[in-house]
Amino acid sequence: MSDSNYKAVFRCIAGCDEEYPLDEIVYRCKKCGALLEVHHDIDRLKELSPQKWKELFDSRVGTTQWPYGSGVWSKKEWVCPEVDNENIVSMFEGNTNLFWAKRFGKMIGMDDLWVKMCGNSHTGSFKDLGMTVLVSMVNEMIQRGKPIKAVACASTGDTSAALAAYCAYAGIPSIVFLPRNKISTAQLVQPMSNGSIVMSLDTDFDGCMKIVQEITRDNSIYLANSMNSLRIEGQKSISIEIVQQFDWEVPDVIIIPGGNLGNVSALGNGFEMMLQLGLISKKPRIVLAQAQNANPLYLSYLNGFKEFKPITPKKTLASAIQIGDPVSVRKAIRTLQKFDGIVEQAGEEELSNAAALADQTGMYTCPHTGVALAVLLKLLEKQVISKKDRTVVISTAHGLKFSEFKVGYHEGTLEGVTCKYANRPVELEADADVVREVLFKELDKRSRVKY
Ligand SMILES: *Cc1c(COP(=O)(O)O)cnc(C)c1O
Ligand SMILES: [Zn+2]
């Protein structure tokens, strides 16, 4: 069943009148070359009252009624109404927990600090949220007779893992282009396991992005990068879910790490849609966190977004955001301008220690989430964020995908990083007396921890 009541189309973001149906193989405006976005028929959606939408969304949380138990498809009417439920490719993504960072917050003087655990998902990153929509639409297009042979993406690791898994679930061939030696082992193994054609190229992400755009000129290979705005529609559910988890209250500040800059625009779109449809009346402030070694948007922010210059990024531990020429930069700037936005950066040592400190309070933080947490610490220090603000940090991936980062930190081998919170295993002979003596010394140190 598709929801023929509701309609959405691709529309040019530069304001041309160009519109295309969602089942057309098109990624840019044919007139001006700008990116497209999915535009919903807001008037139609307004026929349901804000209260009714909230009730509908609340009623679907955790349901087994296909496909509404998914955090993305529970918002189907707002995301991608035209796909037939039978063709949806979903692993019940979304519905990730909102972690109350109680002890971490206490350490830094905040008691209303939350981490949205988007990495607690099938492939371990928020990329699942967008990929379920894109692959579902591809599945729908194939059913409608479009000659699509495979789906392809360039990736810093997490997009390819999500694409590979969703395509494998649907039985659709996938192709991933990865920068050689620039992603974690787990990220490389994921698409290999799911049977993707894995192309490991001697370049960086931006180089892979160029190749995939060349390859997908052939319409039989569909492009799955976030310049394809179907992904953004799924990722938009993050904002709706956060507000829903706060019983439909809007937090004051949201901090999100960004690289190719699709996700921050998705975050903004979710809030805008809730505002337009009257579910909320307040906007959060959005903070985009970049790694200092890959900071083109930060540099542009410093000049008031007057100009944007792509850069060649340096190596960063936050490998998923090591991007110098972000495809969605215009969308991101638009979002930040609407949401009183801030861009702040964090260096390698800052991100590593922020991640490790968070881990000591029960999290298991990926380096990108480390960037966001380090930026939080900085903005608190600068008093840009107040300790009283209800603040949500978007955790974009699961720490388990970044074992090299974790091991390197605790072994003290991360280049240029003084690991303040390294915790090495105590290696001892198996002798109870020796063990007891060392153990009680260690315990004594721990009991002096203040929080
Ligand atoms: C993709 C990704 C990001 C960046 O998202 P963009 O939409 O490219 O800005 C951040 N963190 C992780 C873990 C990611 O996989
Ligand atoms: Zn246009």
Side-chain angles (χ1 to χ4, degrees):
M1 181 195 75
S2 75
D3 288 286
S4 51
N5 240 340
Y6 302 101
K7 286 241 149 21
V9 291
F10 285 128
R11 198 181 257 188
C12 169
I13 63 163
C16 299
D17 287 334
E18 290 291 283
E19 277 188 3
Y20 315 108
L22 294 188
D23 70 350
E24 189 168 333
I25 301 171
V26 59
Y27 317 111
R28 288 182 180 278
C29 173
K30 292 177 191 170
K31 250 195 206 159
C32 76
L35 293 189
L36 304 171
E37 64 189 343
V38 175
H39 178 82
H40 292 269
D41 183 345
I42 294 290
D43 287 336
R44 193 60 76 76
L45 290 164
K46 274 188 180 158
E47 286 169 12
L48 219 58
S49 71
Q51 191 52 36
K52 283 273 181 273
W53 280 121
K54 289 179 188 174
E55 281 166 16
L56 182 66
F57 293 161
D58 284 342
S59 76
R60 287 171 173 170
V61 175
T63 180
T64 49
Q65 197 200 341
W66 180 264
Y68 301 106
S70 151
V72 173
W73 297 105
S74 64
K75 319 289 185 307
K76 185 185 178 197
E77 296 82 354
W78 292 28
V79 168
C80 191
E82 80 176 63
V83 55
D84 194 299
N85 282 354
E86 292 297 310
N87 293 330
I88 286 178
V89 183
S90 167
M91 307 193 200
F92 275 35
E93 50 290 313
N95 290 323
T96 54
N97 56 309
L98 193 54
F99 176 100
W100 180 23
K102 195 176 169 187
R103 264 187 79 215
F104 185 81
K106 247 197 183 136
M107 283 176 179
I108 60 177
M110 298 182 90
D111 62 12
D112 211 356
L113 176 64
W114 304 77
V115 182
K116 177 65 172 163
M117 294 293 195
C118 296
N120 290 348
S121 182
H122 187 77
T123 71
S125 87
F126 76 84
K127 299 294 199 295
D128 290 351
L129 303 173
M131 212 48 89
T132 181
V133 178
L134 184 134
V135 176
S136 296
M137 199 59 215
V138 169
N139 204 25
E140 172 91 16
M141 286 154 80
I142 292 172
Q143 303 305 324
R144 290 182 191 176
K146 301 259 168 177
I148 297 174
K149 282 202 214 108
V151 188
C153 74
S155 176
T156 51
D158 290 329
T159 300
S160 52
L163 179 67
Y166 281 84
C167 281
Y169 191 66
I172 299 169
S174 65
I175 308 162
V176 306
F177 295 92
L178 299 167
R180 188 143 95 218
N181 295 329
K182 293 191 175 72
I183 64 170
S184 77
T185 306
Q187 289 172 323
L188 176 64
V189 170
Q190 284 181 293
M192 285 165 56
S193 306
N194 288 135
S196 258
I197 301 173
V198 179
M199 305 288 231
S200 182
L201 305 186
D202 252 330
T203 179
D204 57 7
F205 171 79
D206 299 296
C208 289
M209 193 68 217
K210 288 199 183 93
I211 302 279
V212 79
Q213 293 189 57
E214 280 299 318
I215 300 294
T216 53
R217 276 172 198 252
D218 180 335
N219 275 352
S220 67
I221 301 176
Y222 193 72
L223 176 67
N225 279 96
S226 61
M227 64 182 284
N228 183 326
S229 56
L230 288 170
R231 292 226 344 249
I232 303 298
E233 287 313 285
Q235 291 170 206
K236 186 176 82 179
S237 64
I238 292 178
S239 342
I240 308 164
E241 211 170 271
I242 289 171
V243 173
Q244 189 176 14
Q245 284 170 316
F246 283 127
D247 295 323
W248 301 102
E249 274 180 32
V250 178
D252 300 308
V253 180
I254 301 186
I255 306 178
I256 184 170
N260 218 11
L261 303 177
N263 206 27
V264 65
S265 75
L267 186 76
N269 288 357
F271 279 104
E272 262 183 87
M273 210 154 164
M274 286 187 283
L275 284 162
Q276 279 181 315
L277 292 169
L279 278 74
I280 58 172
S281 54
K282 169 188 143 170
K283 283 184 192 175
R285 184 163 209 192
I286 295 181
V287 178
L288 192 281
Q290 288 213 296
Q292 198 168 334
N293 284 353
N295 63 353
L297 191 67
Y298 176 73
L299 297 175
S300 169
Y301 171 73
L302 292 183
N303 69 39
F305 296 128
K306 276 204 242 3
E307 61 173 343
F308 176 83
K309 280 204 218 107
I311 62 164
T312 302
K314 294 195 223 80
K315 188 175 164 40
T316 169
L317 292 160
S319 50
I321 54 176
Q322 188 177 322
I323 295 175
D325 189 5
V327 169
S328 296
V329 65
R330 283 181 61 186
K331 289 184 180 177
I333 291 175
R334 197 179 57 174
T335 298
L336 290 166
Q337 285 172 335
K338 281 187 192 158
F339 288 86
D340 195 13
I342 299 174
V343 186
E344 183 55 90
Q345 62 177 4
E348 299 299 289
E349 181 159 320
E350 292 171 319
L351 77 87
S352 303
N353 284 325
L357 186 63
D359 287 2
Q360 291 201 345
T361 68
M363 288 180 249
Y364 196 65
T365 314
C366 82
H368 323 86
T369 308
V371 170
L373 290 170
V375 159
L376 167 66
L377 299 178
K378 250 184 201 176
L379 294 180
L380 267 182
E381 179 97 349
K382 291 185 182 172
Q383 300 188 332
V384 174
I385 293 178
S386 142
K387 288 186 172 168
K388 295 215 157 52
D389 285 340
R390 172 172 282 179
T391 302
V392 179
V393 172
I394 307 287
S395 174
T396 46
H398 201 295
L400 285 172
K401 293 181 87 164
F402 298 89
S403 296
E404 295 93 336
F405 168 64
K406 295 291 181 198
V407 172
Y409 185 88
H410 292 289
E411 288 186 344
T413 55
L414 298 182
E415 219 176 294
V417 175
T418 305
C419 305
K420 258 166 77 182
Y421 310 105
N423 182 26
R424 298 290 307 274
V426 184
E427 287 170 2
L428 288 178
E429 57 190 294
D431 178 310
D433 290 331
V434 177
V435 169
R436 192 176 295 112
E437 193 190 321
V438 176
L439 191 63
F440 280 101
K441 271 191 203 142
E442 284 297 319
L443 257 180
D444 192 42
K445 276 192 227 162
R446 298 287 201 285
S447 64
R448 278 182 265 128
V449 174
K450 201 166 147 210
Y451 299 105

